[in-house]
Amino acid sequence: MDRDVLGRELRAGLAETRRYLLSHHEPAEYDRCHRLRVGSRTIHLCARCSGVYPGIVVGSVLGIGGWLPGSLGLAAIAVLPLAALVDWSLTAGRPDAGSNRVRTATGLLLGIAYGLGLHRLLLGDDRRVLLIGVGYAAVVAVALWFHRGSPVGS
């Protein structure tokens, strides 16, 4: 493939997907986003993700600083995501359900758990973090199955 064709394809792909850069929601779900005005443009920022990413930084700093050692850190990794899971399960697929403030707050807790978990897994070689992740993945798979009324992926 020549460079010009590759460049055009790349630009076309970016133009098609750029609206998902800060929000993975379709326009019908923009109520789950914070709206930011930048000049004459409105930018949609996913409410939960706006808590998750700063939370990852906070969790990483907590892990690096050693402020949640041992079983306390592992308990935080296991418990903090529950708030986001409960909020998501109560509001998924229900227009106008939930609050962006709650989504951002639960996203922050989820992000802290992610940051702590990444620190413990990558720098502490604590594989129990993987078990927690697998447990949450199983719970989400079951919730999606019930939410959609059919097996995941069908």
Side-chain angles (χ1 to χ4, degrees):
M1 184 177 275
D2 97 23
R3 267 178 125 161
D4 290 335
V5 172
L6 182 61
R8 279 194 304 273
E9 288 293 318
L10 183 59
R11 281 190 298 281
L14 288 173
E16 182 72 24
T17 60
R18 74 174 169 224
R19 72 178 176 161
Y20 296 109
L21 181 62
L22 297 175
S23 172
H24 49 87
H25 297 285
E26 294 292 333
E29 293 184 324
Y30 278 166
D31 61 308
R32 299 181 185 288
C33 298
H34 297 296
R35 288 172 181 78
L36 307 172
R37 297 287 296 164
V38 177
S40 63
R41 301 189 75 159
T42 299
I43 296 173
H44 295 91
L45 179 63
C46 173
R48 190 157 345 260
C49 292
S50 68
V52 167
Y53 294 113
I56 291 171
V57 172
V58 169
S60 297
V61 168
L62 289 171
I64 291 167
W67 289 299
L68 288 174
S71 60
L72 181 59
L74 197 61
I77 294 166
V79 171
L80 291 178
L82 282 174
L85 179 61
V86 168
D87 180 56
W88 170 78
S89 66
L90 293 174
T91 63
R94 294 178 50 214
D96 302 325
S99 149
N100 284 343
R101 286 186 178 141
V102 171
R103 288 183 190 98
T104 301
T106 60
L108 182 67
L109 296 174
L110 179 62
I112 291 170
Y114 283 169
L116 287 168
L118 284 170
H119 176 265
R120 286 181 75 113
L121 182 63
L122 299 177
L123 299 177
D125 198 32
D126 189 344
R127 295 199 175 109
R128 295 175 294 180
V129 172
L130 293 175
L131 292 174
I132 294 169
V134 167
Y136 272 107
V139 169
V140 168
V142 169
L144 283 171
W145 185 79
F146 279 109
H147 173 69
R148 295 188 178 158
S150 62
V152 175
S154 62

